[in-house]
Amino acid sequence: MAEHKPINWAYPFPSKEPNSNPLQLMTHMANAKGGYYPTGENGLWHGGVHFDEGTAAFFDQSSVRCIADGEVIAYRIDERYPVSEFTDEIPRVKRAPFSTGFVLVKHSLQPPPLKNADDSITDGQTPPSLTLYSLYMHLLDWAGYQAQPDLPRPAFWETKRYTVNTRKDGLSVRAGPSKNTTKLSELCKGAEITIGETEGGFSKLISIISGTAQPALAADDEGQLPGYVSTSLLKPHSEPTEYDKVVVLQNGLPIKAGDLISHPGLYQNHDSAAQHMVHVELFSCDDVPAFIARSRAWASRLPDDQKTLLKVYKGASKLIAHREGIGAENPRKISNEGSQIGVDLIIPQTLLDGLPASHKIQVTVPPESGTPASTTSWWRLDGLFADENGSPIDGWLAEQELITTRHSPWEWEGFQCIEETGAPVEKLAYAFNARGLLSTDEQHNYRAQISKADGGPIVTLARLYDIADTDKDGVLTSAEIQAALTRPWHAQVLGQLVAKYESEWFWNKGKWDELDPLLAEEPGKPNLVWEAEKQRIEKLSWWQELEAPHGASDGNAWHFHPTATVSAFLYSRRLIDVEQFIEEYSSQHEQFMANTPAFSQVSKGNLRTILELINEYYYANPEKANLFELAYMFATARHEAYYFPSGEFFSSNPEVGAIPYFNKYDPLLATTHEHRIRAIENGNTQEGDGYRYRGRGLVHLTWKNNYREAKEHFGIDFVSQPDKAAEPKHSVPIMIWGMKKGIFTGRKLSHYINSAGVDYVEARRIINGSDQQQLIAGYAIKFESILRKTSSAKESFDQ
């Protein structure tokens, strides 16, 4: 596999709308009660976005998910939310809780490698890279977890105890780290224990916190119990290392896109009710403009299939209104009358792929008089565009060469970098003036500050795109920014701003004290609400505590819009549309095998994991993905990874037979000379190797020699830790690599699937008898039909 490994992306909160698209998600952010990007209601910079009660109707905000693969480098959890005391006009003291809990994740962003004509990676050329940080702020306190004991906990917390999580009976305690060793005792289901080092699929038993063991186990002189237990049958219970302090993880703990970060915490401002809210932020301390320049240069050398963004230009294209009867047999024509598009917009390919079949048409013009054949794609797009007057328009868009263009996300098309100019007092004075909150004297006193902010980069850029100043009064207000976010073309422009300024999480007392006169209710008299707010800002800060261990700067960073950035990269790398594939497979499930259990949620989850890992593999290894090869892989996995006792499909723990079957190929336990010789020839030379190197994974990796070869290829010690081959993150790459190389049958998959023909039956002959060959071939044909609807994999072999 290539050393370069791109990161996966996910939204922090999934959409509640099954057919939502990234541009809709951007407009939903306008419903937040506050916390817009790139500025807040007070006119000051705001580097993140808020998910609060206003966005809850559109997003599943039950838990916070990591937006990209990376490593957790720091976190803080409140034991109980701190409380600010504000005195209002009655006077009355308002106690306002506010979560300071956060998680900080470090990521590495890097384009895919360049490829030679033979698909090998070009030597000596390293893609540019950027270190990114994602921040998740205002998270649930420890009291909240204690009040909800069944609430899932983040994996990066320290695991302090485990519960025996067997389905029926208890959990065996073995003398050694293997099922083949003597059984010492049995822990009851639900027993709480602590464990030590893990060896293979077993962990050393240390102590029993609650529950029983029959027979009882005696501790040694150091207080540790004897024996080992199966790790997979334990449910971990984790807790934070400390409370109310920043926990800095020197080495970082790996985390995947979509993994649990935490749950929304409680936050209350002085002038509003308490609400559950999360602030999500994405920033970098690197030289972002330099990285973008290098990334654009690199993208110019990437293949066309990396260009997953369609750009539509203001004044160049038109939308042709839909009428009854329009379809593949009666398509729209470019010569038809339409409305001129009055805005620029970049559309992810997956938005187009996700349109209903009735909303996408391809029209092919046959060759004529020496002119080659041509194909035009038509997309029916509703709710995305406006005409030159700003009025929304719907209809059919033709993708035309020279009129529309294709781009890679690594081109950062439309993104612009801007740097802070001036001080917070200038922006606040400008915002107050725009809202009519300054007296005549204050307008005069702060005239210079207002004038500076009026010429600042965000205002200038906003006017350039006519984003927000809708009433043309020369003043930019937060209400106008919120209104702009409801329109896809304006929301996208705002989402493409990358702004550099001092982070709000960097405590700078002088910066905030400078605002005191402007916020004073009376000259020379402190504003008590503002004084309490400054105390809150200081308590929320954390930047300085990470500066030394992680080389953070003096608080200045480049900020990206989280949702816009995730959308650009999340929608650029999917070979298979995961949810559409699952939907198609579910609808055809009964056709795959008669008298099988229903397609359960467990099986759906297994299939979803496999699909996502296949997407990851082919993105990391941009080789030609052939539809027929994928169909055969799915058919094989469907057959070999069926866990009969539970009825789980695509299981990583399939039923593989009783121990006598494994002994069949054990050098000492085999009953025939032929089996003993075959075992030795394949590397099984020690007693127990038959069971130790049994078939695991989606396409059973078997024999010690094959485990050794997988170790050499992937750099993971499958020989000493063979159970790792059953983990989906390893079994999916093993399946693809093994089939393409011929590990399982001695012949590469391309021997049976190539330009000369597709022979699923012969591909199985060395493995199964005729009945099974026909069964799996039938599966493959059904998977072909699903992949044609849900995948960009090619059918031809000469790409």
Side-chain angles (χ1 to χ4, degrees):
M1 292 180 65
E3 292 184 2
H4 169 272
K5 186 175 177 59
I7 58 176
N8 297 302
W9 294 82
Y11 290 115
F13 301 99
S15 172
K16 287 184 176 180
E17 301 168 325
N19 298 316
S20 63
N21 65 62
L23 295 176
Q24 286 176 323
L25 297 182
M26 288 284 291
T27 60
H28 290 337
M29 301 309 300
N31 293 280
K33 291 188 173 182
Y36 311 115
Y37 180 92
T39 64
E41 290 181 292
N42 54 15
L44 303 180
W45 290 110
H46 189 260
V49 292
H50 284 186
F51 292 86
D52 54 28
E53 291 181 357
T55 58
F58 306 96
F59 299 94
D60 178 0
Q61 296 176 184
S62 56
S63 61
V64 190
R65 300 288 165 175
C66 186
I67 65 174
D69 297 345
E71 55 182 27
V72 178
I73 62 170
Y75 69 86
R76 175 173 62 199
I77 179 170
D78 302 314
E79 188 166 13
R80 290 185 178 276
Y81 300 126
V83 175
S84 293
E85 293 189 350
F86 296 101
T87 304
D88 59 22
E89 295 178 357
I90 293 178
R92 181 181 61 186
V93 175
K94 177 188 287 187
R95 294 176 55 81
F98 64 103
S99 168
T100 74
F102 75 88
V103 173
L104 186 66
V105 182
K106 182 179 180 180
H107 317 274
S108 180
L109 187 62
Q110 190 175 40
L114 301 175
K115 291 284 188 173
N116 296 315
D118 61 356
D119 278 346
S120 62
I121 296 176
T122 303
D123 292 331
Q125 299 192 49
T126 304
S129 63
L130 183 74
T131 298
L132 279 172
Y133 299 90
S134 60
L135 172 69
Y136 313 83
M137 195 83 195
H138 311 315
L139 303 177
L140 185 67
D141 64 358
W142 178 238
Y145 280 99
Q146 290 179 306
Q148 304 174 75
D150 293 332
L151 205 61
R153 299 180 181 183
F156 53 83
W157 286 356
E158 182 181 358
T159 301
K160 297 183 178 179
R161 58 190 174 90
Y162 294 81
T163 300
V164 173
N165 193 34
T166 50
R167 291 183 177 177
K168 294 182 180 179
D169 302 323
L171 177 61
S172 296
V173 180
R174 299 285 179 179
S178 169
K179 289 183 179 179
N180 296 329
T181 58
T182 304
K183 180 177 177 179
L184 302 179
S185 182
E186 184 173 290
L187 296 168
C188 68
K189 181 179 180 180
E192 288 190 1
I193 64 173
T194 62
I195 60 174
E197 293 185 358
T198 297
E199 184 175 343
F202 285 78
S203 295
K204 180 69 179 70
L205 178 64
I206 300 297
S207 67
I208 301 174
I209 300 173
S210 65
T212 60
Q214 296 294 335
L217 296 168
D220 60 18
D221 294 340
E222 296 180 357
Q224 295 188 8
L225 297 175
Y228 292 79
V229 292
S230 174
T231 310
S232 64
L233 296 175
L234 299 176
K235 180 180 179 181
H237 293 274
S238 52
E239 298 178 10
T241 302
E242 294 185 85
Y243 306 102
D244 304 321
K245 294 182 179 179
V246 175
V247 177
V248 179
L249 305 174
Q250 299 293 344
N251 298 321
L253 293 177
I255 189 169
K256 292 287 188 182
D259 283 355
L260 178 68
I261 286 286
S262 185
H263 299 80
L266 204 61
Y267 200 92
Q268 182 176 7
N269 289 313
H270 74 279
D271 57 353
S272 63
Q275 62 170 328
H276 285 96
M277 181 187 79
V278 175
H279 169 106
V280 181
E281 188 171 316
L282 189 64
F283 64 90
S284 176
C285 299
D286 292 352
D287 186 343
V288 170
F291 165 76
I292 289 179
R294 290 194 297 269
S295 180
R296 285 170 173 164
W298 189 271
S300 67
R301 303 160 66 190
L302 291 173
D304 286 346
D305 61 8
Q306 297 281 331
K307 296 181 178 181
T308 54
L309 303 174
L310 173 66
K311 183 169 184 179
V312 182
Y313 293 86
K314 175 181 179 179
S317 292
K318 61 183 176 181
L319 285 189
I320 301 173
H322 176 73
R323 287 205 298 245
E324 277 308 310
I326 297 299
E329 303 300 322
N330 181 30
R332 299 272 69 184
K333 297 179 181 179
I334 293 175
S335 58
N336 292 147
E337 287 189 12
S339 300
Q340 195 81 23
I341 292 175
V343 295
D344 293 335
L345 194 67
I346 298 173
I347 306 174
Q349 180 61 38
T350 300
L351 184 156
L352 303 175
D353 292 340
L355 294 171
S358 60
H359 285 51
K360 46 189 176 183
I361 300 172
Q362 284 197 331
V363 180
T364 300
V365 178
E368 184 179 359
S369 302
T371 303
S374 63
T375 300
T376 301
S377 294
W378 285 85
W379 317 99
R380 182 180 169 186
L381 301 171
D382 296 337
L384 296 182
F385 290 101
D387 61 18
E388 56 188 5
N389 297 316
S391 301
I393 53 175
D394 300 331
W396 289 89
L397 171 76
E399 184 175 347
Q400 301 170 266
E401 190 174 355
L402 303 180
I403 302 298
T404 59
T405 54
R406 284 280 178 166
H407 301 272
S408 161
W410 301 104
E411 294 178 47
W412 299 89
E413 179 66 24
F415 280 79
Q416 297 197 47
C417 297
I418 55 177
E419 292 195 53
E420 167 152 54
T421 58
V425 67
E426 296 166 3
K427 298 176 181 61
L428 189 62
Y430 177 90
F432 279 10
N433 186 55
R435 292 159 61 185
L437 300 179
L438 297 185
S439 66
T440 303
D441 287 343
E442 288 172 327
Q443 288 177 350
H444 177 77
N445 292 338
Y446 287 97
R447 183 175 53 194
Q449 287 87 347
I450 295 170
S451 177
K452 281 187 178 180
D454 189 50
I458 182 63
V459 179
T460 302
L461 201 58
R463 288 179 183 160
L464 177 64
Y465 284 92
D466 195 22
I467 296 173
D469 188 15
T470 52
D471 55 12
K472 310 303 178 187
D473 64 351
V475 177
L476 176 64
T477 67
S478 59
E480 287 176 317
I481 289 180
Q482 183 181 13
L485 289 172
T486 65
R487 298 184 283 272
W489 52 93
H490 286 164
Q492 187 172 80
V493 171
L494 288 170
Q496 290 172 329
L497 299 181
V498 185
K500 184 180 183 181
Y501 56 89
E502 186 179 273
S503 171
E504 61 182 292
W505 316 114
F506 180 88
W507 174 244
N508 182 344
K509 185 176 185 299
K511 177 177 71 174
W512 301 115
D513 286 348
E514 189 179 354
L515 304 181
D516 291 353
L518 184 59
L519 292 169
E521 295 180 0
E522 299 178 20
K525 183 178 181 181
N527 183 328
L528 297 181
V529 170
W530 171 234
E531 292 301 319
E533 185 64 31
K534 284 195 292 183
Q535 294 173 14
R536 178 183 291 208
I537 293 171
E538 182 177 10
K539 195 169 185 63
L540 285 165
S541 301
W542 49 261
W543 194 285
Q544 282 92 330
E545 297 189 56
L546 271 75
E547 184 173 356
H550 287 281
S553 67
D554 57 358
N556 286 297
W558 290 96
H559 296 77
F560 296 77
H561 191 298
T563 308
T565 306
V566 171
S567 296
F569 290 98
L570 177 70
Y571 285 85
S572 68
R573 52 182 310 276
R574 299 195 305 173
L575 174 68
I576 302 170
D577 186 313
V578 174
E579 298 306 321
Q580 189 181 1
F581 186 103
I582 293 173
E583 182 179 345
E584 289 288 335
Y585 180 82
S586 300
S587 66
Q588 296 189 30
H589 173 257
E590 297 304 325
Q591 302 175 32
F592 274 77
M593 182 182 284
N595 303 318
T596 57
F599 190 46
S600 68
Q601 290 301 315
V602 172
S603 295
K604 283 184 180 180
N606 294 341
L607 178 55
R608 180 177 288 105
T609 297
I610 292 165
L611 289 165
E612 290 170 347
L613 288 168
I614 288 175
N615 279 343
E616 177 181 329
Y617 179 93
Y618 277 100
Y619 185 70
N621 302 271
E623 54 194 76
K624 299 162 187 172
N626 182 267
L627 180 141
F628 304 109
E629 290 179 348
L630 283 174
Y632 178 76
M633 290 178 194
F634 277 113
T636 303
R638 167 63 182 81
H639 175 70
E640 295 198 12
Y642 172 46
Y643 189 44
F644 179 76
S646 67
E648 292 176 17
F649 298 107
F650 303 104
S651 173
S652 62
N653 184 32
E655 178 65 39
V656 288
I659 287 182
Y661 176 84
F662 305 125
N663 292 343
K664 179 179 174 181
Y665 296 117
D666 195 285
L668 298 180
L669 303 177
T671 55
T672 69
H673 177 71
E674 178 187 355
H675 287 157
R676 283 194 292 272
I677 294 300
R678 188 179 180 195
I680 294 170
E681 288 176 345
N682 284 280
N684 289 8
T685 57
Q686 304 294 321
E687 182 177 356
D689 280 355
Y691 180 79
R692 188 174 298 111
Y693 301 108
R694 65 190 183 276
R696 291 179 176 85
L698 297 175
V699 180
H700 295 165
L701 183 68
T702 314
W703 306 113
K704 187 174 183 178
N705 281 351
N706 288 339
Y707 277 80
R708 185 179 292 115
E709 191 164 354
K711 171 186 175 181
E712 292 172 357
H713 181 77
F714 292 102
I716 297 165
D717 193 356
F718 296 116
V719 176
S720 64
Q721 303 178 73
D723 283 341
K724 283 188 172 294
E727 297 175 11
K729 65 181 179 181
H730 300 312
S731 67
V732 168
I734 286 172
M735 173 183 71
I736 300 172
W737 160 77
M739 284 191 166
K740 286 181 171 292
K741 189 170 182 182
I743 294 295
F744 306 108
T745 66
R747 283 191 169 183
K748 297 179 180 180
L749 192 54
S750 59
H751 181 84
Y752 306 102
I753 299 175
N754 51 52
S755 57
V758 176
D759 196 337
Y760 297 130
V761 174
E762 281 300 315
R764 294 297 300 183
R765 188 173 298 282
I766 196 172
I767 302 173
N768 295 115
S770 59
D771 290 346
Q772 298 298 312
Q773 293 168 30
Q774 296 295 332
L775 176 67
I776 294 169
Y779 288 168
I781 292 171
K782 291 184 174 69
F783 276 115
E784 269 186 42
S785 67
I786 293 176
L787 287 165
R788 290 180 199 278
K789 299 177 183 178
T790 63
S791 173
S792 60
K794 307 300 182 183
E795 293 187 29
S796 58
F797 296 87
D798 56 353
Q799 305 283 323

